[in-house]
Structures are given as structure tokens and as C-alpha cells.
Amino acid sequence: MSEMLNVALPKGRLGEKVYSMFEKAGFDCPSIRENNRKLIFENEKSSVRYFWVKPSDVAIYVERGAADLGVAGKDILLEYEPDVYELLDLNIGKCRMAVAAPSDFRDDPSRTLKVATKFSKIAGDFYSSTGRDIDIIHLNGSIEIAPILGLSDVIVDIVETGTTLKENNLEVFETIFPISARLIANKSSFKFKNALCEKVLRELSAQTGRENV
Ligand code: PRP
């Protein structure tokens, strides 16, 4: 059997976009488009095996070598700092990490700021760089509810269209950094499956409209 490239795709709309890019790059796997609950798909002819994983888990699969390549948001890479190669900015999945709060929120520097977030490291690093004393409340989702219920003063979260904030009467106070999807590689796979990895990198670079540097 020829060597297979194992690719972890983030489940959801972004993952579908990413698969289309890989397909165009010559790593097609028609069965993946069948609408079922299967999580692993392979096409020996294209030397590729895909698996759908939770977006926040992609980096773990790649770091540990269960996947050779994967696609993860810059937010996940900064939060978990996985030991992987970041090969390419795919220029998709664009959004931003931001501080948001109810529109009448005024920061009182004499008080500890209560910050609800899924991204404790990012929030911690951001506020320590500004010298602000904070109390982090780690949540796993629906972060926007926290300031409404008085659980926190502000949130640090991902903003894409801004709809979730708007519908919960919150607004962005500060953008922390822009986010986009990145192609990542397991360090030893990049060495031992280099020809396949380089082919993906080359083809995807061409699709993002600029060469990787
Ligand atoms: C993300 C994020 C915001 C929302 C932002 O949530 O945490 O809630 O998307 O998107 P918008 O600006 O386009 O409205 P996700 O869908 O991952 O759900 P969760 O955080 O509740 O798990």
C-alpha cells in the first residue's frame, strides 16, 4: 500500500471549504461528500485519509501525530500553543478575537475586572500585557450570556459577523488580534512524508494567491 496522508479537518462549514481546497489540490475523496455520520474517509488512489474532528481538537491530533496535517484557527494555536509547524495562512475562516461588553459598560480600574472566556490563556496574556488585574471565568460556550447575567463584566471571544453580540446587546470594546485558518503539520510527518506535505503546501499556497515564505 502506498503512503497515506492523514488530514484532520475541522468539522463544520470551514472544514468543508478546506476539503474543497484539498480536493482541488489533487487530494480528492468523493465519499466525504456523502451525507452521513461517518467521521473517517479515505481514497487510496489519492493517498489521502480525512477525519472530521472538533475544530478545537485538530491541533491535538496533529501534535500527537494521529494526523499529519490539519487546519486550525490562529485562536486555537495561540491558546494551546501546540508543538506543530504552522505552514500557511489559508486566508479563510476570518474573524477576530475581541473584548466585548454591554454598551453601557465603563471600566473601573480600581476593581478587579471579571472576564468570561473560552480562551483563558489569550485573555490572561492580553490583560497582563496591559497590567490590568483580572479574574478569569472559564466557560465552554455561550459566553455572551455571562455579562448579561452579571457573571462577568466583559467577555473575550471570537467575533465573526457580530450578530451574536448584537442580538445579546453587547458590543466590541477592543480587538485583540485578527484570526484566520492555518495549515499545520506534525513535525515528524513533515520530515518523513515530506513530498506529500510539500505538495499540499505548494498547491494550497497557489490557491490562497500567494507563495508561502
Ligand atoms: C462563536 C463565538 C461567538 C460566535 C460569533 O461561537 O464564540 O459566540 O461564534 O459569531 P458571529 O460574530 O458571527 O455571531 P460558536 O458558534 O463557536 O459557539 P459557542 O462559543 O457558543 O460554543
Side-chain angles (χ1 to χ4, degrees):
M1 201 175 99
S2 63
E3 192 173 53
M4 297 286 274
L5 192 64
N6 294 298
V7 181
L9 294 172
K11 230 173 161 181
R13 220 163 7 108
L14 175 68
E16 280 157 31
K17 231 186 238 181
V18 171
Y19 169 69
S20 297
M21 293 177 82
F22 272 81
E23 185 180 46
K24 222 167 133 190
F27 295 89
D28 64 305
C29 183
S31 59
I32 206 170
R33 295 213 191 267
E34 286 163 20
N35 190 13
N36 60 29
R37 308 278 293 172
K38 255 181 82 164
L39 297 172
I40 302 183
F41 298 87
E42 67 175 63
N43 184 4
E44 236 179 279
K45 269 197 233 146
S46 302
S47 309
V48 71
R49 182 182 297 119
Y50 292 102
F51 26 96
W52 292 115
V53 306
K54 223 178 149 185
S56 52
D57 289 340
V58 167
I60 298 171
Y61 282 85
V62 174
E63 181 178 42
R64 302 223 168 212
D68 303 309
L69 295 176
V71 170
K74 188 67 182 171
D75 52 322
I76 299 297
L77 301 179
L78 289 171
E79 179 66 21
Y80 299 106
E81 299 186 312
D83 188 18
V84 297
Y85 290 134
E86 186 182 320
L87 299 180
L88 180 68
D89 182 348
L90 294 174
N91 232 354
I92 56 172
K94 287 186 165 187
C95 49
R96 57 187 164 138
M97 186 66 68
V99 178
S103 43
D104 59 358
F105 166 74
R106 295 289 171 269
D107 193 5
D108 172 1
S110 66
R111 282 181 48 236
T112 298
L113 185 71
K114 287 187 282 175
V115 182
T117 188
K118 262 195 286 200
F119 301 94
S120 296
K121 179 178 187 307
I122 288 169
D125 288 351
F126 172 68
Y127 282 106
S128 80
S129 77
T130 67
R132 185 72 173 91
D133 186 26
I134 61 163
D135 176 15
I136 291 185
I137 300 153
H138 187 92
L139 298 176
N140 295 300
S142 302
I143 317 295
E144 291 83 0
I145 293 178
I148 298 170
L149 299 181
L151 181 63
S152 73
D153 300 308
V154 301
I155 64 172
V156 166
D157 201 13
I158 290 169
V159 180
E160 192 183 351
T161 60
T163 311
T164 314
L165 291 184
K166 208 165 157 203
E167 299 205 343
N168 290 289
N169 301 314
L170 303 176
E171 58 184 55
V172 170
F173 271 72
E174 204 166 349
T175 293
I176 304 181
F177 54 77
I179 296 171
S180 56
R182 310 295 162 106
L183 176 68
I184 57 173
N186 173 269
K187 289 189 167 175
S188 86
S189 302
F190 192 70
K191 190 166 165 195
F192 294 109
K193 296 187 182 179
N194 190 258
L196 282 172
C197 291
E198 290 284 5
K199 182 176 177 210
V200 170
L201 179 55
R202 205 170 46 243
E203 296 287 336
L204 296 190
S205 299
Q207 288 180 47
T208 60
R210 57 198 143 96
E211 283 308 309
N212 188 45
V213 278

